[in-house]
Each structure stands twice: as structure tokens, then as C-alpha cells.
Amino acid sequence: MGNVLVLDHPLIQHKLTYIRDKRTGTKEFRELVDEVAMLMAFEITRNLPLQEGTINTPVMETKTKVLAGKKIGLIPILRAGLGMVDGMLKLIPAAKVGHVGLYRDPETLTPVEYYIKLPSDIEDRELIVIDPMLATGGSANDAIHSLKKRGAKQIRLMCLIAAPEGVEVIQKEHPDVDIYLAALDEKLDEKGYIIPGLGDAGDRLFGTK
Ligand SMILES: O=P(O)(O)OC[C@H]1O[C@H](OP(=O)(O)OP(=O)(O)O)[C@H](O)[C@@H]1O
Ligand SMILES: O=c1cc[nH]c(=O)[nH]1
Ligand SMILES: [Mg+2]
């Protein structure tokens, strides 16, 4: 079964408080999501492989370390996942970005795929699927199935907030996928919203409510 890791860095937790607050407007919400995504990217890149190289400092030659060049792909789930892309690219600028367009039908809560465009070499990349919200898990589950169907072999999932119901779905359907969160909340309400959550991430990011 995949691991679930709550990234409890104080800066992430502090910013998440303002992201959750209903008084936070669109501009500030977007900035905070960008910042938290960058901090989460810092945490989840801890395992990137390094290789030794040699350079000359102004004083002498020395052995030092550089990234071994592992290929990464960021896969935001549209729309809300877009809000996390730029923050992550600040730390992983060489990553390629693939898009999966999904919306959750408000009545049935089942995901509807409307767009997919991926880097051509996804089978060689470690893919990080990003979406602020993991609620019933339907959207992330579909996105991951779509990626695997197209050849993806290494996938991680990064969300701001998850409900236990969504985590369970991913762990059952995709035991090979580790999940990284800023918070694991209590449950879903009768409309499938995460409680206490942050409301509708897409609407808060793009001001569409
Ligand atoms: O785990 P689930 O129950 O599938 O719910 C989570 C999904 O719901 C939201 O997207 P939404 O459908 O609101 O689309 P949007 O990003 O375009 O607003 C969110 O960004 C996730 O993709
Ligand atoms: O709480 C939720 C659940 C699904 N999608 C959201 O944007 N928020
Ligand atoms: Mg939405």
C-alpha cells in the first residue's frame, strides 16, 4: 500500500490556515497556493538522486554534488491543479507539464474527462499528479488510471487537503502511488465537500463563484 505523508513544515501549516480562511480573497488565495506548492515541492524532492562532480572553486578543485538528472513530469488536474504548477516549477524548472482536464459532476460526483495532453516520454518520467483537493478520490483515481493506460510507471500524488475517503480509494486502486498532503481532514459532507476543507478550490483560485 502507498504511503500517506502529511507535510507538517510550520510554513506550510501557517499558510494553509490562511488558504482555508473564508475571508481570504482570490488574489491572496492564489499567491498562498503558489507558495505552499513551492514548499511542498521542496519537501517531496528530498529523495532526488545526486551524482558526484568536480568543480574548481576560486581556491581549489573539489568534488561536489549535482542532481543526477531524474526526469520529472508535473500533471495538474484542471482546473484547480493549475494553481500549484508555477510554485513547483520554481524549484523543478526542468520538469515537463502534462494536463488532465476533469470536472466532477455536481449530481453524481463522478469525474468527467474533457482534456488530456501529456509529454511524449511519460514512461521515462517520475510523474507528480497535483490537485489541491482529494475528496471522494474519483478525479485523482481517474487521472492516475489515464496516465497508467498511456504508459506511466512511476506516479506520486500531491494535494493540499484530502478526506480519508479519497485516500482510501487511491490506496486501494493504486497501491504503488504515494500520497503527499498538507492536511488530512475529517470527512466529506453530503455534497462531497471536504470538511473543514477550504471550499471549492477552483472557484476560489479563479474567482468563478
Ligand atoms: O476527489 P473528487 O471527489 O473527485 O473531488 C476533487 C476534485 O474536485 C475539484 O475539481 P472540480 O470538479 O471542482 O473542477 P475544477 O477544478 O474545474 O473546479 C478538485 O480540484 C478535484 O479535482
Ligand atoms: O471540498 C472540495 C471537494 C471537491 N472539490 C473542491 O474544490 N473542494
Ligand atoms: Mg471546482
Side-chain angles (χ1 to χ4, degrees), residues 8-82:
D8 58 0
H9 191 291
L11 291 176
I12 294 176
Q13 296 303 315
H14 177 81
K15 288 175 193 293
L16 184 63
T17 299
Y18 291 93
I19 288 173
R20 287 185 189 273
D21 193 325
K22 68 176 184 185
R23 295 170 299 182
T24 301
T26 299
K27 173 179 179 288
E28 210 187 336
F29 185 90
R30 203 181 287 142
E31 288 167 359
L32 286 161
V33 169
D34 180 77
E35 289 165 12
V36 167
M38 185 181 75
L39 293 167
M40 290 179 82
F42 183 72
E43 292 276 33
I44 74 166
T45 47
R46 273 176 193 283
N47 66 343
L48 285 183
L50 292 168
Q51 64 189 28
E52 284 216 331
T54 306
I55 57 150
N56 291 296
T57 75
V59 181
M60 61 174 286
E61 187 180 281
T62 186
K63 279 201 175 12
T64 184
K65 289 171 183 154
V66 288
L67 288 169
K70 189 176 179 77
K71 290 173 162 185
I72 293 183
L74 304 181
I75 314 289
I77 300 179
L78 309 183
R79 288 174 302 167
L82 287 176

Side-chain angles (χ1 to χ4, degrees), residues 79 200-203:
R79 288 174 302 167
D200 189 302
D203 284 341

Side-chain angles (χ1 to χ4, degrees), residues 40-41 43-49 67 69-76 88-89 92 94-98 118-119 121-130 147 151-158 176-180:
M40 290 179 82
E43 292 276 33
I44 74 166
T45 47
R46 273 176 193 283
N47 66 343
L48 285 183
L67 288 169
K70 189 176 179 77
K71 290 173 162 185
I72 293 183
L74 304 181
I75 314 289
M88 295 188 74
L89 284 175
I92 324 171
K96 292 199 173 169
V97 182
L118 303 170
D121 57 352
I122 54 164
E123 63 279 4
D124 301 329
R125 292 185 178 266
E126 173 168 342
L127 303 182
I128 307 172
V129 174
I130 50 182
L147 294 171
K153 294 197 174 61
Q154 258 190 300
I155 303 177
R156 298 198 273 170
L157 174 64
M158 189 179 116
D176 54 317
V177 172
D178 289 336
I179 305 173
Y180 300 84

